[in-house]
Amino acid sequence: MSDTFELSTDQLADQATELERLSTALRAADYDTRVLHPSDDIPLPTLLVALGVDDDGRDRTMAISVLPFADDDLDATALMQFYVLLPFELVDATRNDVLAATAHVNAAMAIGHFAARGDELYYRYVLAADKDGQVNAALIVELVQLIDFHQQHFGDYLEGILTDELSLQVLPEVIAEAD
């Protein structure tokens, strides 16, 4: 696959239209949404989905976008990314334990994964869809509901490791008991 990409105005418009359609379905399922159009800060149309606040009153927001690839890279497949930046930072004192905890947590989840970049922890899932068709809106609503649960529930385990409220040694048992 190519390292660079350029999308035409028509391709960007098609992506925005698809995200607007999915936004309508998510609003019908009681999610607050907003479609951001490309700008200097955001190069692709992006659907923001408010997931509400966590137990500490911090906003959680999901960003949904279509990953850009040159037309000749993927002939039949579009990749839609679901991304949630967790509302707490990875600190050096617990970095190794939190990163080890992501392996335990990722193994317990149905879809997606947690990862770190710098001091940010995030949840990410990529859906492969038919490039020439519309993504099933009901499927997206159910995926958002599932991801909403995953990033909150399993993200809480990672925050517990980060704040020393949960130890890496007991995490596997805690996850198993929750099943």
Side-chain angles (χ1 to χ4, degrees):
M1 292 190 182
S2 64
D3 291 337
T4 61
F5 63 90
E6 284 190 37
L7 296 177
S8 70
T9 303
D10 288 344
Q11 289 170 313
L12 291 171
D14 289 347
Q15 288 181 5
T17 299
E18 178 68 358
L19 293 175
E20 290 284 358
R21 187 181 68 78
L22 297 176
S23 175
T24 299
L26 287 163
R27 282 194 306 272
D30 293 326
Y31 285 98
D32 289 331
T33 65
R34 187 172 93 184
V35 174
L36 301 177
H37 294 277
S39 68
D40 290 339
D41 295 330
I42 301 172
L44 299 169
T46 302
L47 172 58
L48 297 180
V49 181
L51 301 177
V53 296
D54 63 14
D55 293 339
D56 293 324
R58 299 170 297 196
D59 287 324
R60 296 207 183 201
T61 302
M62 179 184 310
I64 302 172
S65 57
V66 178
L67 297 176
F69 293 104
D71 282 343
D72 59 347
D73 287 339
L74 296 174
D75 293 333
T77 306
L79 299 176
M80 185 172 287
Q81 174 178 258
F82 299 76
Y83 183 91
V84 181
L85 181 62
L86 298 181
F88 44 86
E89 291 182 0
L90 185 59
V91 295
D92 286 337
T94 57
R95 175 178 297 276
N96 289 339
D97 283 351
V98 172
L99 294 178
T102 62
H104 291 290
V105 168
N106 288 343
M109 295 189 317
I111 62 171
H113 69 276
F114 287 95
R117 182 180 325 110
D119 63 353
E120 296 178 343
L121 285 167
Y122 62 89
Y123 173 89
R124 182 174 184 244
Y125 173 68
V126 177
L127 172 70
D130 182 354
K131 191 176 202 174
D132 294 328
Q134 291 183 332
V135 177
N136 182 304
L139 170 76
I140 297 302
V141 170
E142 289 179 1
L143 273 174
V144 167
Q145 291 168 341
L146 184 58
I147 292 168
D148 189 0
F149 169 78
H150 273 64
Q151 61 81 34
Q152 176 82 25
H153 177 76
F154 291 106
D156 285 351
Y157 293 154
L158 298 178
E159 186 174 24
I161 298 293
L162 180 73
T163 61
D164 288 330
E165 293 176 24
L166 182 62
S167 76
L168 186 57
Q169 291 71 31
V170 300
L171 179 61
E173 183 180 321
V174 170
I175 292 172
E177 288 175 4
D179 288 339

